[in-house]
Amino acid sequence: MVFVTKPPTENFSYPRGSKVSKFFAGIPLIDLSKPDSKQLIVRACEEFGFFKIINHGVPMEFITRLESEAIKFFSLPLSEKEKAGPPNPLGYGNKYIGKNGDVGWVEYLLLTANTESNSQRFLSVFGQNPEEFCSALNDYISAVKKMTCEILELMAEGLKIQPRNVFSKLLMDEQSDSCFRLNHYPPCPELQDLSARNVIGFGAHTDPQIISVLRSNNTSGLQISLRDGNWIPVPPDHNSFFINVGDSLQVLTNGRFQSVRHRVLANGSKSRVSMIFLGDHP
């Protein structure tokens, strides 16, 4: 299998002066099938800006299909993957994140969440048969978008805001800037030689959108920052989703909800694949 070409680790950043908390009660866990979910969502958004959901209604078949297709794509030779790039901002990227020169131990696909707009990009990668990838992508995005709108409507109910779709209608707008990201963090074997130092896979940031919906395989690496500045690792769970409050939702709630800083550390032996729906307004 061919992954990202290995750049020297001195080109990458390392987390410095940031404590990882060893004492934490746990990530808020919310069961969407329970009647008290809207109150728990509001509390989690106020206290952490982050929570985990179960009984989410997204078929596991959609999740596993897209992960399988993502692994196939990221296993292609670099020259083939680059046919889906360069990121401008959409497309395939390798190491370089965004316009500010940030570098991470990651390769990614950034795509529009408009399910009809992605097939053309993959014609050059998969020849005339991008259907399997695009079908898996479209099924997953449609299901996760529906779930995300349900969560936003529960937020509105919990906040006692009318109408119920005050937030979700922004994502449903045809002009919405929602996007979708597939990240692949290859194993970083150089970590074995760095005396237990960490290598940044994706640097600390908040998401500018309204809401982010994350699902990953069972490889660890994601961390969130608590209000006291301590970082806590998020145990992976490939059957569940994790929700981030974005900067736009912080604004829409007049600061009642706080967007959460998060980062990903590279893993020395395991590959990490994550799928993120970034729900946004027009």
Side-chain angles (χ1 to χ4, degrees):
M1 296 173 70
V2 180
F3 295 115
V4 193
T5 51
K6 294 178 185 175
T9 50
E10 60 264 21
N11 290 344
F12 290 86
S13 56
Y14 309 92
R16 295 186 177 90
S18 55
K19 297 179 290 184
V20 176
S21 178
K22 297 180 181 178
F23 305 101
F24 179 62
I27 303 294
L29 175 64
I30 295 170
D31 184 339
L32 288 185
S33 68
K34 297 294 179 63
D36 64 348
S37 59
K38 55 180 176 288
Q39 289 89 3
L40 295 177
I41 287 173
V42 168
R43 185 185 306 165
C45 290
E46 291 174 335
E47 295 180 2
F48 299 99
F50 186 86
F51 56 93
K52 174 180 173 178
I53 57 170
I54 58 173
N55 289 323
H56 44 70
V58 177
M60 281 304 300
E61 175 193 356
F62 291 178
I63 296 171
T64 54
R65 274 182 63 211
L66 182 57
E67 181 176 312
S68 175
E69 291 298 322
I71 290 171
K72 288 179 188 177
F73 174 81
F74 289 124
S75 300
L76 292 170
L78 182 60
S79 59
E80 292 298 306
K81 292 181 284 192
E82 287 179 335
K83 292 179 181 178
N88 189 30
L90 303 177
Y92 172 76
N94 182 348
K95 300 177 300 199
Y96 298 100
I97 305 166
K99 300 178 180 180
N100 299 321
D102 295 328
V103 177
W105 192 267
V106 64
E107 59 177 342
Y108 63 89
L109 272 172
L110 182 61
L111 306 167
T112 174
N114 181 340
T115 55
E116 298 178 359
S117 303
N118 290 313
S119 59
Q120 191 65 35
R121 181 175 298 278
F122 295 102
L123 282 172
S124 58
V125 179
F126 298 109
Q128 295 303 309
N129 298 299
E131 287 84 4
E132 283 190 32
F133 183 93
C134 291
S135 173
L137 183 70
N138 294 347
D139 285 346
Y140 181 90
I141 289 177
S142 296
V144 169
K145 183 177 180 179
K146 179 181 177 182
M147 175 194 68
T148 307
C149 287
E150 178 187 350
I151 291 170
L152 289 171
E153 289 172 3
L154 288 170
M155 285 181 185
E157 285 185 5
L159 290 169
K160 297 180 171 54
I161 297 175
Q162 292 293 333
R164 185 174 189 264
N165 69 343
V166 64
F167 300 137
S168 63
K169 69 181 180 182
L170 300 173
L171 272 62
M172 297 304 296
D173 192 298
E174 290 184 0
Q175 302 302 314
S176 165
D177 284 335
S178 297
C179 55
F180 184 72
R181 188 177 187 105
L182 287 167
N183 288 332
H184 173 234
Y185 304 89
C188 183
E190 284 81 354
L191 281 173
Q192 310 299 326
D193 305 320
L194 290 173
S195 302
R197 291 173 75 190
N198 291 308
V199 171
I200 290 292
F202 206 120
H205 65 287
T206 58
D207 294 330
Q209 293 84 7
I210 294 173
I211 190 171
S212 304
V213 181
L214 166 73
R215 184 265 170 193
S216 73
N217 64 357
N218 265 342
T219 301
S220 61
L222 177 64
Q223 297 184 343
I224 64 169
S225 177
L226 300 179
R227 299 287 182 257
D228 61 8
N230 283 332
W231 288 92
I232 60 164
V234 178
D237 181 351
H238 69 287
N239 293 315
S240 303
F241 289 90
F242 293 93
I243 310 298
N244 291 356
V245 170
D247 297 338
S248 293
L249 187 55
Q250 178 173 319
V251 172
L252 289 169
T253 59
N254 291 320
R256 182 169 174 179
F257 291 176
Q258 294 288 312
S259 60
V260 61
R261 283 173 58 79
H262 52 287
R263 67 185 183 188
V264 175
L265 302 184
N267 190 290
S269 59
K270 296 180 180 179
S271 175
R272 183 174 188 270
V273 176
S274 63
M275 309 183 287
I276 309 103
F277 174 74
L278 299 152
D280 206 3
H281 51 76

